[in-house]
Amino acid sequence: MTIAERHKYILDELNRAGFVSVSELAKNMEVTMVTIRKDLKILEDKGLLFRSHGSATPVSPYVSDRSVQVKKLEQVAEKTKIAEKALDFLEEKEAVLIGSGTTVVAFAQAIPKNKPLTVLTAAMNVTLALIDNPEVELVQLGGVVRKSSSSAVGHYAEEMLKNFACSKLFLSVDGISLEHGLTTSNMMEAHLNAQMIRSVQKTIVLADSRKFGRKGFGKICELEDIDIIITDSGIPEIYRQKLEEKGIEVVVV
């Protein structure tokens, strides 16, 4: 292949899959990884992609902290479908943890009022979504209020969490990366989410397809630490394949 042909192939693959790997590009084009890295640098300098360790994406992978009031207006249809599908994993009379984020708020809003549950959460908007459900016993974690996510974080929330045992965690994230795992934009919330994962038997991630290939400032966990991801049909096929190879159940709505 000529340089121009390689560059076209790389951009076509990015457009198709939303992600490219240096090693796979080198194998498919029968060139060295050094050559591919040089190609990716040229394309990045032209503003055509963003490089990461061993890979590239068509948009910047980094996410910033944004208000829940802004995020709740995005991907509304996808989040609603994801939330409704998550109900299939919710059993009567079980105790569950619900994290923070607009997708899990949609999930909380979708829970039937007659479903008996115990719900432990640090997110005040999740609590408000369930406060009129007569069959739901609510336990609100306390601590420092992170206003952008309407959620409590910090030492007090983490210490309180140690006193409870829940079967499942329903979690939203800001980023899902093959190299960096699950992330969110705030390090204190990331640490609390990590504690939540360690305290449950099963972790179910609710994330729309735009979260794949993105990275937040705070790392929550490795991909291997989660059990199920519920997402929409926009998930890049390479992510679905790689996640399933790691033993993660990927549910697409």
Side-chain angles (χ1 to χ4, degrees):
M1 280 187 174
T2 64
I3 293 177
E5 288 172 335
R6 289 201 308 272
H7 289 184
K8 182 179 185 304
Y9 180 85
I10 292 169
L11 295 174
D12 286 346
E13 283 296 293
L14 268 179
N15 184 58
R16 181 188 66 81
F19 169 90
V20 290
S21 158
V22 170
S23 59
E24 290 183 3
L25 287 173
K27 179 181 177 181
N28 293 341
M29 290 192 281
E30 298 182 342
V31 295
T32 66
M33 289 196 288
V34 172
T35 298
I36 295 299
R37 290 192 183 98
K38 289 179 179 177
D39 287 338
L40 294 180
K41 184 179 187 309
I42 292 170
L43 292 171
E44 183 179 50
D45 290 343
K46 292 179 179 179
L48 298 174
L49 54 75
F50 291 84
R51 288 188 299 159
S52 184
H53 294 293
S55 64
T57 58
V59 296
S60 173
Y62 298 101
V63 295
S64 58
D65 190 12
R66 297 182 302 143
S67 169
V68 68
Q69 300 303 321
V70 174
K71 292 192 285 187
K72 74 178 183 180
L73 301 176
E74 301 171 341
Q75 306 293 101
V76 175
E78 290 83 356
K79 291 174 182 177
T80 300
K81 290 180 181 178
I82 292 167
E84 290 174 350
K85 185 62 180 177
L87 294 176
D88 292 347
F89 297 88
L90 190 62
E91 299 175 20
E92 288 191 354
K93 298 182 180 179
E94 68 177 338
V96 299
L97 261 168
I98 300 180
S100 63
T102 54
T103 311
V104 291
V105 171
F107 167 63
Q109 292 169 338
I111 294 174
K113 290 188 179 296
N114 62 349
K115 197 175 192 75
L117 294 168
T118 298
V119 174
L120 178 65
T121 185
M124 292 180 290
N125 46 11
V126 169
T127 295
L128 289 173
L130 293 169
I131 200 162
D132 291 327
N133 289 34
E135 296 298 322
V136 174
E137 182 176 6
L138 283 165
V139 180
Q140 175 72 57
L141 296 178
V144 178
V145 176
R146 183 180 170 226
K147 293 182 180 179
S148 63
S149 66
S150 297
S151 181
V153 295
H155 170 76
Y156 293 109
E158 292 172 14
E159 285 299 310
M160 188 176 177
L161 182 63
K162 294 177 182 178
N163 296 311
F164 301 96
C166 295
S167 57
K168 295 168 189 165
L169 165 63
F170 294 87
L171 181 68
S172 283
V173 297
D174 286 329
I176 301 174
S177 166
L178 295 177
E179 299 92 355
H180 295 276
L182 268 59
T183 56
T184 190
S185 56
N186 180 271
M187 63 180 180
M188 292 179 71
E189 189 144 25
H191 194 267
L192 177 59
N193 287 342
Q195 296 284 84
M196 288 179 171
I197 290 171
R198 286 193 284 270
S199 71
V200 298
Q201 294 176 319
K202 183 175 290 186
T203 297
I204 302 169
V205 176
L206 281 56
D208 67 78
S209 58
R210 293 196 308 171
K211 304 296 175 63
F212 293 94
R214 310 302 298 276
K215 304 171 190 174
F217 178 69
K219 182 168 182 174
I220 299 171
C221 67
E222 300 291 348
L223 291 174
E224 290 83 358
D225 294 325
I226 63 175
D227 301 282
I228 299 168
I229 294 179
I230 306 175
T231 188
D232 60 81
S233 59
I235 178 176
E237 184 57 34
I238 190 169
Y239 273 89
R240 183 172 184 168
Q241 176 187 335
K242 296 292 185 182
L243 290 167
E244 289 177 343
E245 287 176 0
K246 293 178 181 291
I248 299 167
E249 181 182 352
V250 180
V251 180
V252 178
V253 298

